[in-house]
Amino acid sequence: MIDINEIGATAFVIASIRALEPDQTHQLFSDPYAEWFSNERALAAARQLEAAFPPSTTMVRFRTRYFNRFVERGIEAGARQVVLLGGGFDMRAHILANSDVSFFEVDQRAVLEFKRTVLAQHGIEQPPSVYGNYLEVDVPHGLARVGFDPELPTVIVWEGNTMYLPPELIMPFLNRLAGAMPTFRIAFDYFSVDLQNREFENQEDMKRLEGVERAMGASFPTGFPDLAVFEKHAPFRVAESGSFAQLGEEFGLGEMVAAYPEDWRETLKLYRYCVLERR
């Protein structure tokens, strides 16, 4: 029996937010599987998250749409493999399934075992997966064992992870990936502030972020005020970056974002996306 207490609560909260998408006036994506991973406790946490900082759930919606687009564009550009890294209950392997593309997942055993059990109950098969903490296991070797070809063009979705990770472990992990995979792009979301030292220019930003932490039941130890660190300490170049709030206009919700109070909009500038390309 899988111990549900071993599974990170954040995966359920994000699934609950995605499960509510059909109720939105302007839908940004379709995830018909999200409700399978939602529950009352997670829905309550999602409501707490919105109370702590109302635009936070909107940003989850924006990032879901953004990472969907990242995968779609990657496949159009020739990617033949997609790796969902620490994706929790990410169902893109089924939502964006393509006969010419192989999907792989990497996450903690408790998360993937639970997910595999839920999918089996609905007659769906879990994609080839590497079970374990990706900061501790040999991800390239594990992927190779389940059919991954490091020579094929690959895109990696690293959604909702960096802010939770020990900062000193991130660059070594990326260097291990780069050492084993000659051609890939990896997209992630991050906070553009020094969370290691809690160096906020505005104390209101810190209060809002701490409110989000309480709602998620987790702390955010890591932020990246300067993306040049990835080009300096790892063999990458920054191929794309920006704030999720800036995508509002493109996603048809520009007026909603513009109507937020100015201090909210300033806080939203801290939450951003980045795509790194292997040099």
Side-chain angles (χ1 to χ4, degrees):
M1 178 66 67
I2 299 166
D3 183 358
I4 202 71
N5 293 316
E6 294 180 15
I7 302 174
T10 58
F12 288 98
V13 176
I14 298 304
S16 294
I17 294 172
R18 289 175 175 168
L20 296 172
E21 189 63 22
D23 299 332
Q24 300 290 344
T25 302
H26 186 97
Q27 293 186 38
L28 298 180
F29 57 88
S30 174
D31 186 347
Y33 310 99
E35 63 179 358
W36 298 351
F37 304 100
S38 181
N39 55 51
E40 285 303 316
R41 182 177 178 182
L43 284 169
R47 288 191 287 268
Q48 183 183 350
L49 181 64
E50 184 152 2
F53 185 42
S56 56
T57 53
T58 298
M59 291 304 104
V60 171
R61 297 176 62 216
F62 279 19
R63 86 179 195 193
T64 300
R65 170 71 173 268
Y66 172 79
F67 285 112
N68 283 354
R69 188 181 70 179
F70 169 72
V71 173
E72 292 165 345
R73 288 181 173 178
I75 293 172
E76 289 173 1
R80 288 296 168 260
Q81 298 176 136
V82 178
V83 177
L84 306 174
L85 183 61
F89 303 137
D90 184 333
M91 290 294 288
R92 291 186 176 94
H94 302 278
I95 296 169
L96 304 178
N98 184 305
S99 59
D100 296 324
V101 180
S102 298
F103 282 78
F104 301 87
E105 298 194 14
V106 183
D107 212 328
Q108 297 186 74
R109 178 170 293 277
V111 175
L112 290 181
E113 287 288 0
F114 178 79
K115 184 177 180 181
R116 182 176 61 81
T117 299
V118 172
L119 294 186
Q121 292 170 351
H122 291 85
I124 298 177
E125 187 174 346
Q126 172 73 12
S129 302
V130 176
Y131 295 77
N133 181 335
Y134 59 75
L135 295 176
E136 299 174 351
V137 302
D138 186 340
V139 170
H141 183 256
L143 285 170
R145 285 189 303 172
V146 295
F148 180 85
D149 184 344
E151 299 298 324
L152 291 179
T154 299
V155 293
I156 301 176
V157 177
W158 196 20
E159 179 183 5
N161 276 251
T162 66
M163 59 286 296
Y164 299 104
L165 303 179
E168 68 275 8
L169 299 182
I170 291 177
M171 216 58 65
F173 166 69
L174 288 174
N175 275 297
R176 288 195 296 274
L177 287 185
M181 300 164 57
T183 173
F184 69 94
R185 290 161 63 92
I186 181 169
F188 60 93
D189 51 322
Y190 71 100
F191 289 117
S192 60
V193 63
D194 186 353
L195 291 178
Q196 296 88 314
N197 299 307
R198 296 278 148 164
E199 292 183 354
F200 289 81
E201 293 183 6
N202 187 324
Q203 289 302 302
E204 288 302 313
D205 286 343
M206 184 170 70
K207 290 179 181 178
R208 291 189 183 101
L209 194 61
E210 289 176 345
V212 171
E213 288 179 315
R214 286 192 295 273
M216 296 296 290
S219 61
F220 300 147
T222 300
F224 299 103
D226 186 356
L227 292 176
V229 65
F230 294 102
E231 298 181 336
K232 181 178 181 181
H233 297 291
F236 295 101
R237 72 174 187 89
V238 176
E240 183 180 332
S241 67
S243 75
F244 286 104
Q246 290 173 333
L247 296 175
E249 194 70 36
E250 183 178 345
F251 292 166
L253 292 174
E255 291 184 3
M256 182 185 72
V257 174
Y260 287 150
E262 183 178 358
D263 57 334
W264 288 10
R265 296 198 306 273
E266 288 301 309
T267 299
L268 288 176
K269 292 179 181 179
L270 302 179
Y271 188 43
R272 302 176 63 85
Y273 60 85
C274 175
V275 177
L276 299 177
E277 188 171 68
R278 175 74 164 84
R279 290 202 303 262

